[in-house]
Amino acid sequence: MKMTGKTVLITGSTDGVGRYVAARLADAGARILIHGRDKTRGEALLNEICLRKPYEGAFYLADLSSLSRVRQLAKSVLAQEKRLDVFISNAGIGSMSPGSERQLSADGHELRFAVNYLSGFLLARLLLPLLKASAPSRIVNVASLGQHPLDFDDVMLTKGYTGTRAYAQSKLAQIMFTIDLAGEIDGSGVTAKALHPATYMNTTMVREGGFTPISTVEQGGEAILHLAVGDDMAGKTGVFFNGMQASKANPQAYDGAARRRLRTLSLQLAGLPAG
């Protein structure tokens, strides 16, 4: 995909793999919408990219642990942007950072489920009109090979909680949403894909979690770019990739009844009309 004249929103793009992807796409000529929780870091990245190449972009400040802030983010993008060609849902928190104990979001939801999954679910839903108007366009959900089936009797993990399970559940939810959404919007010109970019990239999340990096940010970034702008990905939707290769997710991702239950729950939690 030629990126000149295209607009890309990347959540969690002030650090790590999101920052790498933002810089690469800006260099390719895209207008990059940077998102983060730290205004100073976001504006510094915007300025850094502008110094390397004449470029127009924007920084959007939002804490994705609050659904009201997610709604404000979507409202701002819809008000200020004329098009949106690619939405990369990359922001997230790891299994051990910021701590492995069970925490709640601003709305009272289990924190990893809220940040890693529910915020992206709501943001994608709210941005769909702009994505459809800009078609052909793409949604890319940055998930993981670490996946744990959802227990619909205890999605918020009030029992048997571990950070690892919470993280893995949120990532499988992302993939289930990707497949479900792809079917829903088939024929609209918008595609939805998910991937595990790379294992234990050398990022702040990995290091703060106490893990030894295995992969580079560049490796993960190239995998994300492949789904976001690769010519061979045009029209492909409802798929899960492990790096550069098509792969299979946890079996629950292909359970239509489970996906419908997740959709119903997510619409309710996000305050969206049932559909």
Side-chain angles (χ1 to χ4, degrees), residues 37 62-67 69-70 104-108 111 114-115 119:
R37 294 181 297 165
D63 182 347
L64 300 188
S65 68
S66 165
L67 291 177
R69 299 293 178 86
V70 174
L104 299 180
S105 71
D107 305 282
L111 186 62
V115 174
S119 67

Side-chain angles (χ1 to χ4, degrees), residues 146-159:
Q147 301 159 23
H148 192 290
L150 281 73
D151 176 359
F152 285 99
D153 292 326
D154 188 23
V155 172
M156 297 306 165
L157 301 180
T158 60
K159 302 175 183 177

Side-chain angles (χ1 to χ4, degrees), residues 9-15 33-43 45 58-64 69 73 90-92:
L9 169 62
I10 310 168
T11 61
S13 46
T14 60
D15 192 19
L33 310 183
I34 296 166
H35 157 266
R37 294 181 297 165
D38 188 311
K39 183 178 180 180
T40 300
R41 285 171 59 182
E43 292 181 344
L45 174 59
F59 170 66
Y60 289 91
L61 179 71
D63 182 347
L64 300 188
R69 299 293 178 86
L73 170 59
N90 167 72

Side-chain angles (χ1 to χ4, degrees), residues 9-22 35 64 87-93 115-116 119-120 123 140-143 167 171 174 195 197 201 203 205 220-221 224:
L9 169 62
I10 310 168
T11 61
S13 46
T14 60
D15 192 19
V17 71
R19 183 186 181 99
Y20 174 83
V21 171
H35 157 266
L64 300 188
F87 167 44
I88 302 175
S89 184
N90 167 72
I93 54 178
V115 174
N116 296 353
S119 67
L123 193 53
V140 176
N141 289 318
V142 181
Y167 175 82
K171 291 301 177 179
Q174 279 186 298
L195 82 158
M201 290 177 286
T203 63
M205 179 193 296
I224 294 171

